[in-house]
Amino acid sequence: MGFARACSVALVGVEGVVVEVQADLEPGVAAFTLVGLPDKSLVESRDRVRAAVVNSGSEWPQKKLTVGLSPASVPKSGSGFDLAVASAVLGAAERIDPAMIADVVMIGELGLDGRVRPVRGVLPAVLAAAEAGYEQVVVPEQTAGEAALVPGISVLGVRSLRQLIAVLCDEPVPEEPADGQGRPDAMLAGLMIPGTGLGTGLAPAAARGDGHRPDLADVAGQLRPRQALEVAAAGGHHLLLSGPPGAGKTMLAERLSAVLPPLTRQESLEVTAVHSVAGILPPGEPLVSRAPYCAPHHSATMQSLVGGGNGIPRPGAVSLAHRGVLFLDEAPEFSGKALDALRQPLESGHVVVARAAGVVRLPARFLMVLAANPCPCGRHTLTGAGCECPPSVVRRYQARLSGPLLDRVDLRVEVEPVDRADLLGQGGQGGRGEPTEAVAARVRDARARAAERLAGTPWTTNSEVPGHELRTRLLVAPGALAAAERDLERGILTARGLDRVLRVAWTVADLRAADRPDASDVAVALELRTGIQRGAPMGAGER
């Protein structure tokens, strides 16, 4: 009787569970039994592994073979267990030393010819292996860079099962010829889900790979929305842009992700893990270093927004936008059920998806930007534009954004149509504003001041600070809250709204390098929150 074991990782959402792959050989009729709650794609690994072992020059054991995946209570899916199953079988057949693979985590799919194909979710799988105390992992060669992002892990990238057997048996490693040049690498097909990319709103539409990146200098006029965009980026505040079609709401939202600071190392690992599981991680770019941008279509379902799908839930748009921007264009056209599902992640920074196959907790700390027209035709706020929408239709259209959802939006800005002077570059400043680099520099400085003030706390941006801390420890200047208190008494502000006004006031103060907010900062925050003109200066970025 022969026995051997190897290790692999089962992903549940973006979290991994180390699975022990055990292979047992007994005398009897040749058979291959796979147990341990596998799904359909994992059951099919029996045929893939058998063909890969034979085509790699090794002999398949003609005995009763049982492969168990432990713990058996955890659902297992995908083809990433193939490499561990093949190694455990070869160890039980004494083709390789079982002691050499007992504490090695192996992740990869096997082709029928023995090549090792990459799979999605390598980074969260290796992170789970490192947290469990494992120090050696074997992954496909194409994903070795992604696995190497985890510190303290020895990574071996292999191109075929033959190479892995040679390394484990201390034999000369065979050279595997590369695929033909001049065509896409078929081995990378396992990393990308068909249909993902620019067309699904996973990147700004203007970034088409032609070298041009969206810049704020492209936006003509729109001084107040630009300054609100700067406040949103500096403090991580949610933003509502309302105005007629063609005013520039989408242009502003597409340029917000470039204003955000680069991701820290920990944030990059979080974002990369989500994108790796979702199958949108670009090949050759193992680490996401810039804030992501996700803009789902208004026909998106609730499951596509918050996560779901058959079996184990998959990340939705709120998780794909983690540490970045979630842009909902034509927000009133989204279903009310889908919009109301955003309430929980907006407050908690994560989403919990419960399905029959299990409960998954996915990260979802994003900056939400809503864009809305004033009415179905979009001409309601334009003078002399001929809006024919009845008042009842306008009210129903605007009521599609529920009060509880809007209560979680810190900034509400009217985007007015661009006049001829700004559009044609005839304004006092040429019709163009500051470039992205200048605004991003001020945002970085403001965030650095907030991080220094919040050092030693679990928060890094003003939007994350609880209201209790703002009212007890982080105090504003004396008398600065007089206007906000009046609005609270009149019912214009809710208790949550007052906390969010304080957060925005701290961000405005950080942008002008002040020690704490004064009455003018609170007035700016109130104007951005309520949309009521108060004559407050909006020069948030002025020194």
Side-chain angles (χ1 to χ4, degrees):
M1 182 180 68
F3 177 82
R5 63 184 179 89
C7 295
S8 190
V9 178
L11 289 177
V12 182
V14 294
E15 299 176 355
V17 178
V18 177
V19 173
E20 189 176 276
V21 181
Q22 304 169 346
D24 177 70
L25 283 175
E26 296 179 355
V29 179
F32 190 169
T33 305
L34 183 63
V35 298
L37 211 58
D39 71 342
K40 179 64 176 176
S41 61
L42 186 49
V43 170
E44 293 174 349
S45 68
R46 296 179 299 184
D47 300 319
R48 292 194 301 268
V49 170
R50 181 188 291 110
V53 169
V54 173
N55 290 328
S56 297
S58 299
E59 183 179 353
W60 183 259
Q62 298 299 320
K63 296 181 180 180
K64 180 182 178 181
L65 172 61
T66 303
V67 174
L69 308 175
S70 180
S73 60
V74 177
K76 304 164 189 71
S77 61
S79 56
F81 294 87
D82 289 1
L83 200 58
V85 171
S87 301
V89 171
L90 293 175
E94 299 182 351
R95 172 65 178 87
I96 58 180
D97 185 4
M100 295 290 294
I101 61 174
D103 295 322
V104 179
V105 176
M106 301 183 181
I107 305 165
E109 175 187 337
L110 285 175
L112 300 184
D113 56 353
R115 291 185 301 171
V116 180
R117 303 178 65 92
V119 294
R120 298 186 294 271
V122 168
L123 177 59
V126 177
L127 284 171
E131 292 176 357
Y134 291 87
E135 299 179 352
Q136 294 179 321
V137 296
V138 178
V139 297
E141 186 180 53
Q142 292 86 347
T143 58
E146 183 180 346
L149 297 174
V150 182
I153 288 289
S154 175
V155 179
L156 173 62
V158 294
R159 188 174 295 179
S160 66
L161 182 60
R162 286 182 290 270
Q163 289 185 341
L164 177 60
I165 295 174
V167 171
L168 294 175
C169 297
D170 199 15
E171 299 173 356
V173 179
E175 290 290 336
E176 294 291 344
D179 290 340
Q181 301 297 324
R183 60 182 180 183
D185 189 356
M187 296 292 286
L188 298 176
L191 294 178
M192 300 291 289
I193 297 178
T196 59
L198 299 180
T200 54
L202 296 173
R208 292 182 289 266
D210 55 2
H212 174 72
R213 297 188 63 87
D215 195 290
L216 273 174
D218 301 333
V219 181
Q222 304 296 1
L223 177 62
R224 188 171 295 266
R226 288 169 57 96
Q227 292 168 336
L229 207 73
E230 182 176 342
V231 174
H237 306 288
H238 306 305
L239 174 64
L240 169 63
L241 299 173
S242 58
K249 301 186 295 294
T250 303
M251 286 188 67
L252 288 165
E254 287 179 345
R255 284 147 180 80
L256 179 56
S257 60
V259 179
L260 295 175
L263 301 178
T264 64
R265 176 73 176 186
Q266 180 61 34
E267 292 172 347
S268 295
L269 290 177
E270 294 175 6
V271 174
T272 304
V274 175
H275 288 201
S276 179
V277 171
I280 62 173
L281 193 63
E285 298 181 16
L287 187 65
V288 178
S289 59
R290 299 188 63 86
Y293 173 91
C294 185
H297 192 259
H298 63 258
S299 61
T301 62
M302 183 185 71
Q303 289 77 11
S304 66
L305 282 181
V306 301
N310 297 327
I312 297 296
R314 301 183 62 84
V318 296
S319 297
L320 300 182
H322 180 58
R323 302 294 181 183
V325 177
L326 176 67
F327 177 47
L328 302 183
D329 199 5
E330 304 294 343
E333 300 295 341
F334 283 80
S335 69
K337 185 179 179 181
L339 289 176
D340 288 339
L342 300 177
R343 297 183 194 176
Q344 184 231 348
L346 285 175
E347 288 290 332
S348 62
H350 64 267
V351 60
V352 178
V353 183
R355 295 291 185 270
V359 179
V360 174
R361 184 180 186 271
L362 300 169
R365 187 169 296 281
F366 54 89
L367 196 163
M368 182 179 68
V369 180
L370 303 175
N373 294 326
C375 67
C377 74
R379 300 190 298 269
H380 178 66
T381 57
L382 298 179
T383 303
C387 174
E388 299 179 354
C389 300
S392 59
V393 173
V394 176
R395 285 195 301 269
R396 281 198 301 270
Y397 186 81
Q398 295 178 353
R400 292 181 181 179
L401 298 178
S402 65
L405 178 65
L406 291 180
D407 200 34
R408 290 166 169 82
V409 178
D410 301 342
L411 313 176
R412 306 173 189 179
V413 181
E414 289 286 339
V415 183
E416 302 292 341
V418 183
D419 57 26
R420 178 180 58 84
D422 286 333
L423 189 61
L424 300 180
Q426 300 172 356
Q429 296 180 351
R432 296 295 184 266
E434 294 177 292
T436 298
E437 291 78 5
V439 179
R442 289 200 299 270
V443 169
R444 286 194 300 269
D445 293 341
R447 287 216 175 189
R449 278 187 284 273
E452 182 180 358
R453 181 175 62 254
L454 299 174
T457 68
W459 318 294
T460 56
T461 60
N462 293 322
S463 62
E464 302 172 5
V465 182
H468 176 73
E469 292 288 325
L470 294 171
R471 294 189 299 270
T472 58
R473 192 171 68 88
L474 302 175
L475 300 178
V476 300
L481 287 178
E485 292 171 354
R486 287 195 299 269
D487 285 357
L488 182 64
E489 293 175 354
R490 295 170 182 171
I492 300 177
L493 281 181
T494 63
R496 179 192 287 124
L498 178 61
D499 292 342
R500 293 185 176 273
V501 165
L502 287 174
R503 295 170 183 171
V504 175
W506 274 104
T507 301
V508 176
D510 288 336
L511 283 169
R512 65 181 186 88
D515 294 334
R516 57 179 177 172
D518 56 15
S520 63
D521 297 326
V522 175
V524 171
L526 282 171
E527 183 170 329
L528 290 172
R529 170 73 183 181
T530 62
I532 301 175
Q533 298 292 333
R534 300 170 185 264
M538 284 289 293
E542 295 179 359
R543 293 290 182 262

Coordinates of all heavy atoms in Angstrom, one line a residue, residues 2-6 21-25 32 48-62 65-67 82-101 106 110 114 160-169 171:
G2 N 0.6 2.2 -0.9 CA 1.3 3.5 -0.9 C 0.4 4.6 -0.5 O -0.8 4.7 -0.8
F3 N 1.0 5.6 0.1 CA 0.3 6.8 0.6 C 1.2 8.0 0.5 O 2.4 7.9 0.8 CB -0.2 6.6 2.0 CG -0.9 7.8 2.6 CD1 -2.2 8.1 2.3 CD2 -0.1 8.8 3.3 CE1 -2.8 9.2 2.8 CE2 -0.8 9.9 3.8 CZ -2.1 10.1 3.6
A4 N 0.7 9.1 0.0 CA 1.4 10.4 -0.1 C 0.4 11.5 0.0 O -0.8 11.3 -0.2 CB 2.2 10.4 -1.4
R5 N 0.9 12.7 0.4 CA 0.0 13.8 0.5 C 0.8 15.1 0.0 O 2.0 15.2 0.1 CB -0.4 14.0 1.9 CG 0.6 14.3 2.9 CD 0.1 14.4 4.3 NE 1.1 14.7 5.3 CZ 1.5 15.9 5.7 NH1 0.9 17.0 5.2 NH2 2.4 16.1 6.6
A6 N 0.0 16.0 -0.6 CA 0.5 17.3 -1.0 C -0.6 18.3 -0.5 O -1.6 17.9 0.1 CB 0.7 17.4 -2.5
V21 N -4.2 17.2 0.1 CA -4.6 16.3 -1.0 C -3.9 15.0 -0.7 O -2.7 14.9 -0.7 CB -4.2 16.8 -2.4 CG1 -4.6 15.8 -3.5 CG2 -4.8 18.2 -2.6
Q22 N -4.7 13.9 -0.3 CA -4.1 12.6 0.1 C -4.4 11.6 -1.0 O -5.5 11.6 -1.6 CB -4.8 12.2 1.4 CG -4.6 13.2 2.5 CD -5.5 12.8 3.7 OE1 -6.4 12.0 3.6 NE2 -5.2 13.4 4.8
A23 N -3.4 10.8 -1.4 CA -3.5 9.8 -2.4 C -3.2 8.4 -1.7 O -2.1 8.3 -1.0 CB -2.6 10.0 -3.5
D24 N -4.0 7.4 -1.9 CA -3.9 6.1 -1.3 C -4.0 5.1 -2.4 O -4.9 5.1 -3.2 CB -4.9 5.9 -0.3 CG -4.8 4.5 0.3 OD1 -3.8 4.2 1.0 OD2 -5.7 3.7 0.1
L25 N -3.0 4.2 -2.5 CA -2.9 3.1 -3.5 C -3.1 1.8 -2.8 O -2.4 1.5 -1.8 CB -1.6 3.1 -4.3 CG -1.5 4.1 -5.4 CD1 -0.1 4.1 -6.0 CD2 -2.5 3.9 -6.5
F32 N -10.1 5.1 -10.1 CA -9.7 6.4 -9.6 C -10.9 7.0 -8.9 O -11.9 7.4 -9.6 CB -9.2 7.2 -10.7 CG -8.5 8.5 -10.3 CD1 -7.8 9.3 -11.2 CD2 -8.6 9.0 -9.0 CE1 -7.1 10.5 -10.8 CE2 -8.0 10.1 -8.6 CZ -7.2 10.9 -9.5
R48 N -7.8 14.5 -16.6 CA -6.7 15.4 -16.9 C -5.4 14.9 -16.3 O -4.3 14.9 -16.9 CB -7.0 16.8 -16.4 CG -8.1 17.5 -17.2 CD -8.1 19.0 -16.9 NE -8.3 19.3 -15.5 CZ -9.4 19.5 -14.9 NH1 -10.5 19.4 -15.6 NH2 -9.5 19.8 -13.6
V49 N -5.5 14.5 -15.0 CA -4.3 14.1 -14.3 C -3.7 12.8 -14.9 O -2.5 12.6 -15.1 CB -4.6 13.9 -12.8 CG1 -3.4 13.2 -12.1 CG2 -4.8 15.3 -12.2
R50 N -4.6 11.8 -15.2 CA -4.1 10.6 -15.8 C -3.4 10.8 -17.1 O -2.3 10.3 -17.3 CB -5.3 9.6 -16.0 CG -4.9 8.2 -16.5 CD -6.1 7.4 -16.9 NE -6.8 6.9 -15.7 CZ -8.0 7.4 -15.4 NH1 -8.6 8.3 -16.1 NH2 -8.6 6.9 -14.3
A51 N -4.0 11.6 -18.0 CA -3.4 11.8 -19.3 C -2.1 12.6 -19.1 O -1.1 12.4 -19.8 CB -4.3 12.6 -20.2
A52 N -2.0 13.6 -18.2 CA -0.8 14.4 -18.0 C 0.3 13.5 -17.4 O 1.5 13.7 -17.9 CB -1.1 15.5 -17.0
V53 N 0.0 12.6 -16.5 CA 1.1 11.8 -16.0 C 1.7 10.9 -17.0 O 2.9 10.7 -17.2 CB 0.5 11.0 -14.8 CG1 1.5 9.9 -14.3 CG2 0.2 11.9 -13.6
V54 N 0.8 10.3 -17.8 CA 1.2 9.3 -18.9 C 2.0 10.1 -19.9 O 3.1 9.6 -20.4 CB 0.0 8.6 -19.5 CG1 0.5 7.8 -20.7 CG2 -0.6 7.7 -18.5
N55 N 1.6 11.3 -20.4 CA 2.2 12.0 -21.4 C 3.5 12.7 -20.9 O 4.3 13.2 -21.7 CB 1.3 13.0 -22.0 CG 0.2 12.4 -22.8 OD1 0.4 11.4 -23.4 ND2 -1.0 13.0 -22.8
S56 N 3.7 12.7 -19.6 CA 4.9 13.2 -19.0 C 6.0 12.2 -18.9 O 7.1 12.5 -18.3 CB 4.7 13.9 -17.7 OG 3.8 15.0 -17.8
G57 N 5.8 11.0 -19.3 CA 6.8 9.9 -19.3 C 6.7 9.1 -18.0 O 7.6 8.2 -17.9
S58 N 5.8 9.2 -17.2 CA 5.7 8.4 -16.0 C 4.6 7.4 -16.1 O 3.7 7.5 -17.0 CB 5.3 9.3 -14.8 OG 6.3 10.3 -14.6
E59 N 4.7 6.3 -15.3 CA 3.7 5.2 -15.4 C 2.6 5.4 -14.5 O 2.7 5.8 -13.3 CB 4.4 3.9 -15.1 CG 3.6 2.7 -15.2 CD 4.3 1.4 -14.9 OE1 5.5 1.4 -14.7 OE2 3.6 0.3 -14.8
W60 N 1.4 5.2 -15.0 CA 0.2 5.4 -14.2 C 0.0 4.1 -13.3 O 0.0 3.0 -13.9 CB -1.1 5.7 -15.0 CG -2.3 5.9 -14.2 CD1 -3.3 5.0 -13.9 CD2 -2.6 7.1 -13.5 NE1 -4.3 5.6 -13.2 CE2 -3.9 6.9 -12.9 CE3 -2.0 8.3 -13.3 CZ2 -4.5 7.8 -12.1 CZ3 -2.7 9.3 -12.6 CH2 -3.9 9.0 -12.0
P61 N -0.2 4.2 -12.1 CA -0.3 3.0 -11.2 C -1.6 2.2 -11.5 O -2.7 2.8 -11.5 CB -0.3 3.5 -9.8 CG -0.8 5.0 -9.9 CD -0.3 5.4 -11.2
Q62 N -1.5 1.0 -11.8 CA -2.7 0.1 -12.1 C -3.2 -0.5 -10.9 O -3.2 -1.7 -10.7 CB -2.3 -0.9 -13.2 CG -1.9 -0.4 -14.5 CD -3.0 0.5 -15.2 OE1 -4.2 0.1 -15.1 NE2 -2.6 1.6 -15.8
L65 N -7.0 3.5 -6.7 CA -6.5 4.8 -6.3 C -7.6 5.6 -5.7 O -8.7 5.8 -6.3 CB -5.9 5.5 -7.5 CG -5.4 7.0 -7.2 CD1 -4.4 7.1 -6.2 CD2 -5.0 7.6 -8.5
T66 N -7.4 6.1 -4.5 CA -8.4 7.0 -3.8 C -7.7 8.3 -3.5 O -6.6 8.3 -2.8 CB -8.9 6.4 -2.6 OG1 -9.5 5.1 -2.9 CG2 -10.0 7.3 -1.9
V67 N -8.2 9.4 -3.9 CA -7.7 10.7 -3.7 C -8.7 11.5 -2.8 O -9.9 11.6 -3.2 CB -7.4 11.5 -4.9 CG1 -7.0 12.9 -4.6 CG2 -6.3 10.8 -5.7
D82 N -5.2 20.3 -9.8 CA -4.6 19.2 -10.6 C -3.1 18.9 -10.3 O -2.7 17.7 -10.2 CB -4.7 19.7 -12.1 CG -6.1 19.6 -12.6 OD1 -7.0 19.3 -11.8 OD2 -6.3 20.0 -13.8
L83 N -2.3 19.9 -10.1 CA -0.9 19.7 -9.8 C -0.7 19.0 -8.5 O 0.2 18.1 -8.4 CB -0.2 21.1 -9.8 CG 1.3 21.1 -10.0 CD1 1.7 20.4 -11.3 CD2 1.9 22.5 -10.0
A84 N -1.5 19.3 -7.5 CA -1.3 18.7 -6.2 C -1.8 17.2 -6.3 O -1.2 16.3 -5.7 CB -2.1 19.4 -5.1
V85 N -2.9 17.0 -7.0 CA -3.4 15.6 -7.2 C -2.4 14.7 -7.9 O -2.1 13.6 -7.5 CB -4.7 15.6 -7.9 CG1 -5.1 14.2 -8.3 CG2 -5.8 16.3 -7.1
A86 N -1.8 15.3 -9.0 CA -0.8 14.5 -9.7 C 0.4 14.2 -8.9 O 1.0 13.1 -8.9 CB -0.4 15.3 -11.0
S87 N 0.9 15.2 -8.1 CA 2.1 15.0 -7.2 C 1.8 13.9 -6.2 O 2.6 13.1 -5.8 CB 2.5 16.3 -6.6 OG 2.8 17.2 -7.6
A88 N 0.6 14.0 -5.6 CA 0.3 13.0 -4.5 C 0.2 11.6 -5.1 O 0.6 10.6 -4.5 CB -1.1 13.4 -3.9
V89 N -0.4 11.5 -6.3 CA -0.5 10.2 -6.9 C 0.9 9.6 -7.2 O 1.3 8.5 -7.0 CB -1.3 10.2 -8.2 CG1 -1.2 8.9 -9.0 CG2 -2.8 10.6 -7.9
L90 N 1.8 10.5 -7.8 CA 3.2 10.0 -8.1 C 3.9 9.7 -6.8 O 4.8 8.8 -6.8 CB 3.9 11.1 -8.9 CG 3.4 11.3 -10.3 CD1 4.1 12.5 -11.0 CD2 3.6 10.1 -11.2
G91 N 3.6 10.4 -5.7 CA 4.3 10.1 -4.4 C 3.8 8.8 -3.9 O 4.6 8.0 -3.4
A92 N 2.5 8.5 -4.0 CA 2.0 7.2 -3.6 C 2.6 6.1 -4.4 O 2.8 5.0 -3.9 CB 0.5 7.2 -3.6
A93 N 2.8 6.3 -5.7 CA 3.4 5.3 -6.6 C 4.9 5.3 -6.5 O 5.6 4.5 -7.2 CB 3.0 5.6 -8.0
E94 N 5.5 6.0 -5.6 CA 7.0 6.1 -5.3 C 7.8 6.5 -6.5 O 8.9 6.2 -6.6 CB 7.5 4.7 -4.8 CG 6.8 4.2 -3.5 CD 7.3 2.9 -3.1 OE1 8.1 2.2 -3.8 OE2 7.0 2.5 -1.9
R95 N 7.1 7.3 -7.4 CA 7.9 7.9 -8.5 C 8.7 9.1 -8.0 O 9.8 9.3 -8.4 CB 6.9 8.3 -9.6 CG 7.6 9.2 -10.7 CD 8.6 8.3 -11.5 NE 9.2 9.1 -12.6 CZ 10.3 9.9 -12.4 NH1 10.9 10.0 -11.2 NH2 10.8 10.5 -13.5
I96 N 8.1 9.7 -7.0 CA 8.9 10.8 -6.3 C 8.8 10.5 -4.8 O 7.9 9.7 -4.3 CB 8.3 12.2 -6.6 CG1 6.8 12.2 -6.2 CG2 8.4 12.6 -8.0 CD1 6.1 13.6 -6.5
D97 N 9.7 11.1 -4.0 CA 9.7 10.9 -2.6 C 8.5 11.6 -1.9 O 8.4 12.8 -2.0 CB 11.0 11.4 -2.0 CG 11.2 11.1 -0.6 OD1 10.4 10.4 0.0 OD2 12.2 11.6 0.0
P98 N 7.7 10.9 -1.2 CA 6.5 11.5 -0.6 C 6.9 12.6 0.4 O 6.2 13.6 0.6 CB 5.8 10.3 0.2 CG 6.3 9.1 -0.6 CD 7.6 9.4 -1.1
A99 N 8.1 12.5 1.0 CA 8.5 13.5 2.0 C 8.8 14.8 1.3 O 8.8 15.9 2.0 CB 9.8 13.0 2.8
M100 N 9.1 14.8 0.0 CA 9.5 16.0 -0.7 C 8.3 16.9 -0.9 O 8.4 18.1 -1.2 CB 10.2 15.7 -2.0 CG 11.5 15.0 -1.9 SD 12.8 16.1 -1.2 CE 12.9 17.3 -2.5
I101 N 7.1 16.3 -0.9 CA 5.9 17.1 -1.3 C 4.9 17.3 -0.1 O 3.9 17.9 -0.3 CB 5.1 16.4 -2.5 CG1 4.7 15.0 -2.1 CG2 6.0 16.4 -3.7 CD1 3.8 14.4 -3.1
M106 N 0.8 23.3 -3.8 CA 0.8 23.3 -5.3 C -0.5 23.8 -5.9 O -1.5 23.4 -5.4 CB 1.1 21.9 -5.8 CG 2.4 21.3 -5.2 SD 2.7 19.7 -5.9 CE 4.3 19.3 -5.1
L110 N -3.5 21.2 -15.0 CA -2.7 20.4 -15.9 C -3.4 20.2 -17.3 O -4.6 19.9 -17.3 CB -2.4 19.0 -15.3 CG -1.4 18.9 -14.2 CD1 -1.3 17.5 -13.6 CD2 0.0 19.4 -14.7
G114 N 0.6 17.5 -20.2 CA 1.5 17.7 -19.1 C 1.9 19.1 -18.8 O 2.6 19.3 -17.8
S160 N 5.8 22.7 -16.8 CA 5.2 21.4 -17.1 C 5.4 20.4 -15.9 O 6.2 20.7 -15.0 CB 5.8 20.7 -18.4 OG 7.2 20.4 -18.1
L161 N 4.6 19.4 -15.9 CA 4.7 18.4 -14.9 C 6.1 17.7 -14.9 O 6.6 17.3 -13.9 CB 3.6 17.3 -15.0 CG 3.5 16.2 -14.0 CD1 3.4 16.8 -12.6 CD2 2.4 15.3 -14.3
R162 N 6.6 17.5 -16.1 CA 8.0 16.9 -16.3 C 9.0 17.7 -15.5 O 9.9 17.1 -14.9 CB 8.3 16.8 -17.8 CG 7.6 15.7 -18.5 CD 8.1 15.7 -20.0 NE 7.6 16.9 -20.7 CZ 6.5 17.0 -21.3 NH1 5.6 15.9 -21.3 NH2 6.1 18.0 -22.0
Q163 N 8.9 19.0 -15.6 CA 9.9 19.9 -14.9 C 9.8 19.7 -13.4 O 10.8 19.6 -12.7 CB 9.7 21.3 -15.3 CG 10.2 21.7 -16.7 CD 10.1 23.2 -17.0 OE1 9.4 23.9 -16.3 NE2 10.8 23.6 -18.0
L164 N 8.5 19.6 -12.9 CA 8.3 19.5 -11.5 C 8.9 18.1 -11.0 O 9.5 18.1 -9.9 CB 6.8 19.6 -11.1 CG 6.5 19.4 -9.7 CD1 7.1 20.4 -8.8 CD2 4.9 19.4 -9.5
I165 N 8.6 17.1 -11.7 CA 9.2 15.8 -11.3 C 10.7 15.8 -11.3 O 11.3 15.2 -10.4 CB 8.6 14.7 -12.3 CG1 7.1 14.5 -12.2 CG2 9.3 13.3 -12.0 CD1 6.5 13.6 -13.2
A166 N 11.3 16.4 -12.3 CA 12.7 16.5 -12.3 C 13.3 17.3 -11.2 O 14.3 16.9 -10.6 CB 13.2 17.1 -13.7
V167 N 12.7 18.4 -10.8 CA 13.1 19.1 -9.6 C 13.0 18.3 -8.3 O 13.9 18.3 -7.5 CB 12.3 20.5 -9.5 CG1 12.6 21.2 -8.2 CG2 12.7 21.4 -10.7
L168 N 11.9 17.7 -8.2 CA 11.6 16.9 -6.9 C 12.6 15.7 -6.8 O 12.9 15.3 -5.7 CB 10.2 16.5 -6.8 CG 9.2 17.6 -6.7 CD1 7.7 17.0 -6.7 CD2 9.4 18.4 -5.4
C169 N 12.9 15.1 -8.0 CA 13.8 13.9 -8.0 C 15.3 14.2 -8.2 O 16.1 13.3 -8.4 CB 13.3 12.9 -9.1 SG 11.7 12.3 -8.8
E171 N 16.8 15.5 -10.8 CA 17.2 15.1 -12.1 C 17.4 16.3 -13.0 O 16.9 17.4 -12.6 CB 16.1 14.2 -12.7 CG 15.9 12.9 -11.9 CD 14.7 12.1 -12.4 OE1 14.0 12.6 -13.4 OE2 14.4 11.0 -11.9

